[in-house]
Every structure is written in C-alpha cells, then in structure tokens.
Amino acid sequence: MSKRNIVAVTYDSLRADHCSYMGYDRETTPHLDQLAEDGVGFRNAISPASRTNPSMAGIFTGEPMVARDQVANPEHARRHLARYGTLAEDLSGRGYTTGAFNPNAYASRHYGFDRGFDHFEDFLFSSDQYQQLFQKHLSDSTLYTLVRNFRNYLRREEAFKTWDRYIDEIEAWVYDQSEPFFLWVFALDTHFPHLTPRKYRTWSTLFEQYYYNYRCNQLIDDLDPDLSEREIQKIIDIYDDSIRFGDVLLYELQERLADFDPVYVVFGDHGEAFAERDIYGHFYPALYEENIHVPLVVSEAVDGIDDPTRALSLTQVPAIVDQFAGGDGSLDLDPWAIASDYDGRNDRNLIAVRTQRAKQIAAWEAGECTQEETYDLRERQTEGEPLSADSDLHETLRPLTERRYTHEEELQSIQSGVAELM
C-alpha cells in the first residue's frame, strides 16, 4: 500500500456514549458520524487509562504506561516514550513529515510528546519561566495554579484554547510541507471549561455556560459531589454543546485539506464522569465506562477487523495507522482490552479488563487484591449492578486482571533495578 497522508484527531474527555454515531439521542457529532459511515466507527474502543498523560503515552507507543507515582510527574511519560518509541518517530523514520498542534499541557513537550515531530506546537511559553511555573502548578501550589490559569484565560491558551484559534495555523503548516505527512491535532473543546461560541450552542445559554463551568470548577477536588439531578443535566448540556462545536473541527479539516486526501483517525483520550459513581470529571483515576469507553473512528476500512463492535484498545492506534503508512497492516488483537491507572490518593493500582460483552475492574493495595467488580454489558453501555463472585464471567475474567497486575509489577521491578544501576 502507498503511503497516505494521515491526520490523527484527539478529543479530550470525549466519552463514547455522548457521540451520536453510538446511538446518543442528541446529534452531537454529525461530522464524526459521516466519517464512521464512510469508514468504520468502533463501538467498544477503550482508552488505556482514565487521564490524558498515561492514556496518550499508551496510545502513541502502543504500550500502556505503568507508573506507581503521581502521573503528572513528567519523568514517567518521558521515560515511557523514550523506551518504546512513538508513532511520530516511526513515521518520521519512514519518510513522513510530522506536525502536531496540541494545546494540552499534559501531552506537551514538557512530557516528551514532541519526540519524532518535525513541528510541535503546544502553545506554551518556551521560556524557562513558564516551565518553572507549570512545574510548580504540578506540585499542587494553589497560588501558581491560579496564576497559570489566569494567564491562560487571558491568552486563551491550554484548556482555554479552542480549535478555531489555531485551525489557520494547521492549514498553513500542511500546505507548506512535502508529502506524505502525519498531522496530529489535539482538541480541548470537549474538556472543561466548555467554552462554546454562541452560534454553536444548542442545549445551553450563555449564562448557563458560565455558571455551570463555575460549578464544574468547584467540583474538581470534590469526591462525592453534592449535585442535584438538574445541575447534572445542565453540566451535561454545556458538555454536549462543546462536543457539537468540537465536531465542526472535522468539517473544517476535511474542507481545508481536501487536496491532500488524508486518512482520518479520530478518538477520545479518555471519558468524563457526571457523578454516576459520586465522581465528577476525570481528575481522579476510575476505570468505569464513563471514564475509559471512548469513540474511535477511522475514515476508511481497517484490514483485519471485520467486527467494529469488538473490544479494541487505543494502544492499537499505531498498528491501524501503519496500514495507511505502507506497513504490513497486521494487527495483534486480543478479544479484550486492558486499562490501568494508579490511584495515588488511596495508594492502589487499578486494572480493568473489557471484552465485547463484559468487564472486570480490580484494585490492588500492598500486593493484595482488595476489590473486584464484574459486569455484564450485553444490554447496556455502562455498568449496572456487579455480578456475584461465583459467576462464570467473574471466574473467566479474573485470571486476565491478575496476569496484567503481575506483568505491571514485573515492569516496575525492572525499572527500579535499572534506576539503581544508573
């Protein structure tokens, strides 16, 4: 197969069940729906983690990132990306021109995500002063977080930067490159704060947008948030409006880049909780469907996958891209997808195994499995009541979560041994 131009689009905090191609009762993603109709829209795509940094590290390397420390520590992602190599590095080595436009600080060059990119625009200050400011924000400094957020709001940077503020830069870069090219666009529009321009707001008003973004900000550090059903719906309304606005990015890219006939690979990096289990957002690790079940749409057929309803980890994205980059097109598929994360607040490791029809979530503390939950997903898009521990599904999935936990412990042991030698 010839080398095609490839555009990867990542939407932050975009859960699958709020995309209309997945059957959502609101038309939030008409342009994504069209891509799914023309190509393939996967219905059980699973993010490797519930937060941007470990998720994107896994997606770009094809290997889940394993950490037993604060994932905001940039050393974890840098080490993981360097160890396994990135999608952009692979494509660059095969003659691709590579470019990225990404206002998400947690997938920025500060974390090593610029590896393999000829052009990497993360819209951050390149000065040492900003890097120091961002690092102090990571250290949970309230003062520095306020300063950083105020600066970003004024400049519309990071979480406040919507796609319409850099789409012209994307177009200009593409037209200035030789082919083939790989373009990565990271859209923060679907991430809090949900800043939707007036012409794209359908389910919320301007007042509701500002007020419920304010309410969301109050919930960031709040476990077991006190939210009424009405407040939850209003937050969903501003979220859905932001999805509808973010979806227009796909239309603009297709219109502006039509001359290059690129293949589009579109996915969410993780989902977003709306107090389903007394958790809002994605600020604490959780591996329930609202946090890891995400959209994945490829604008053309993918060889080797005849059933778009199969469970598929986003760590398969590099293999999918390989099919359009002149590779052999082979996918190494299991009938399940793995997601894992580290819960620093409770010092425990979380692992989820997701099949097409079932799911198990397990937690380990001090080497012991302290919690197991197994769910039958055959007739629903999210978890209901957990099955009993003696159910057939529970016994079938348990060896998979245990095997993954053992594998991660071995990786941690190897990393610790190497660190001691260096």
Side-chain angles (χ1 to χ4, degrees):
M1 181 182 291
S2 62
K3 296 178 180 178
R4 298 284 302 281
N5 296 315
I6 300 166
V7 177
V9 181
T10 304
Y11 285 102
D12 204 316
S13 311
L14 181 56
R15 49 191 280 176
D17 62 353
H18 278 249
C19 297
S20 42
Y21 91 87
M22 287 288 298
Y24 191 43
D25 58 4
R26 287 175 167 175
E27 192 182 32
T28 51
T29 55
H31 304 296
L32 184 64
D33 301 346
Q34 188 61 54
L35 285 182
E37 183 176 335
D38 295 339
V40 55
F42 294 94
R43 304 188 69 84
N44 287 300
I46 302 299
S47 170
S50 61
R51 293 170 289 180
T52 295
N53 184 254
S55 172
M56 286 308 309
I59 294 167
F60 260 36
T61 61
E63 291 287 337
M65 189 178 93
V66 179
R68 297 290 185 262
D69 191 7
Q70 185 183 28
V71 295
N73 181 347
E75 291 304 318
H76 298 310
R78 291 171 186 166
R79 182 171 57 244
H80 181 84
L81 295 167
R83 176 182 181 183
Y84 292 104
T86 69
L87 171 61
E89 287 179 300
D90 177 58
L91 293 174
S92 180
R94 289 200 251 173
Y96 273 77
T97 302
T98 54
F101 293 82
N102 165 26
N104 189 313
Y106 293 96
S108 66
R109 62 178 180 266
H110 188 65
Y111 285 87
F113 282 90
D114 58 335
R115 296 181 66 94
F117 282 102
D118 301 311
H119 177 83
F120 192 89
E121 178 57 79
D122 52 15
F123 308 100
L124 303 180
F125 284 160
S126 60
S127 65
D128 291 338
Q129 288 85 353
Y130 179 74
Q131 295 298 324
Q132 293 169 5
L133 178 66
F134 183 61
Q135 192 60 48
K136 289 183 179 181
H137 155 74
L138 296 179
S139 302
D140 295 325
S141 167
T142 301
L143 174 61
Y144 281 97
T145 296
L146 288 173
V147 171
R148 171 174 166 263
N149 286 343
F150 182 67
R151 168 260 177 194
N152 288 336
Y153 177 75
L154 291 179
R155 296 175 59 90
R156 288 295 193 269
E157 300 291 0
E158 291 186 33
F160 299 94
K161 196 174 192 71
T162 52
W163 65 260
D164 55 324
R165 299 180 65 85
Y166 55 97
I167 186 69
D168 290 341
E169 294 180 49
I170 293 172
E171 181 182 13
W173 179 84
V174 169
Y175 273 89
D176 197 37
Q177 307 309 312
S178 59
E179 299 182 73
F181 65 79
F182 170 66
L183 168 66
W184 178 34
V185 180
F186 200 121
L188 277 171
D189 308 272
T190 45
H191 186 284
F192 161 81
H194 306 294
L195 303 174
T196 305
R198 176 182 176 182
K199 64 184 288 189
Y200 297 105
R201 287 196 300 271
T202 303
W203 300 287
S204 64
T205 66
L206 179 62
F207 170 77
E208 289 169 339
Q209 175 178 279
Y210 280 100
Y211 176 75
Y212 288 101
N213 272 312
Y214 163 75
R215 285 291 286 130
C216 290
N217 187 64
Q218 291 179 312
L219 302 173
I220 288 176
D221 294 318
D222 187 9
L223 289 175
D224 191 15
D226 183 16
L227 284 169
S228 68
E229 289 297 320
R230 182 179 185 277
E231 286 181 305
I232 292 172
Q233 184 56 56
K234 290 297 184 181
I235 291 172
I236 289 174
D237 289 344
I238 64 172
Y239 175 70
D240 286 349
D241 271 339
S242 74
I243 296 173
R244 181 69 182 239
F245 172 54
D247 180 71
V248 180
L249 167 63
L250 297 177
Y251 170 80
E252 287 290 334
L253 288 171
Q254 289 177 285
E255 287 292 303
R256 293 172 184 239
L257 308 185
D259 291 344
F260 302 94
D261 188 29
V263 176
Y264 290 88
V265 181
V266 185
F267 54 90
D269 63 341
H270 55 74
E272 188 84 343
F274 296 114
E276 288 91 343
R277 271 159 270 272
D278 294 328
I279 298 173
Y280 164 72
H282 58 276
F283 306 100
Y284 296 104
L287 301 181
Y288 295 103
E289 291 294 277
E290 57 266 23
N291 287 105
I292 63 170
H293 184 199
V294 295
L296 170 61
V297 172
V298 183
S299 62
E300 299 186 17
V302 177
D303 293 338
I305 302 180
D306 297 325
D307 183 4
T309 68
R310 66 167 297 136
L312 188 71
S313 171
L314 290 191
T315 56
Q316 293 295 324
V317 165
I320 291 172
V321 168
D322 182 68
Q323 292 191 3
F324 303 102
D328 59 19
S330 61
L331 300 178
D332 183 18
L333 297 174
D334 291 315
W336 60 80
I338 300 289
S340 64
D341 221 327
Y342 173 67
D343 178 2
R345 173 171 288 208
N346 298 300
D347 191 20
R348 60 179 188 160
N349 314 124
L350 303 176
I351 293 175
V353 171
R354 172 71 148 75
T355 70
Q356 184 177 8
R357 299 180 177 88
K359 182 177 186 178
Q360 185 172 101
I361 304 173
W364 272 266
E365 299 177 54
E368 298 291 330
C369 184
T370 58
Q371 182 179 349
E372 290 177 303
E373 303 170 14
T374 304
Y375 299 94
D376 187 337
L377 301 176
R378 282 178 291 188
E379 296 182 358
R380 50 191 303 137
Q381 287 193 15
T382 188
E383 297 88 351
E385 291 296 320
L387 302 176
S388 65
D390 60 358
S391 68
D392 290 341
L393 277 176
H394 183 85
E395 292 301 321
T396 298
L397 296 179
R398 187 174 188 182
L400 299 177
T401 55
E402 290 179 341
R403 188 169 74 187
R404 180 63 200 179
Y405 173 74
T406 300
H407 177 67
E408 291 191 1
E409 289 302 292
E410 290 174 351
L411 287 177
Q412 285 291 295
S413 178
I414 292 171
Q415 291 176 8
S416 297
V418 170
E420 290 177 0
L421 292 174
M422 293 180 66

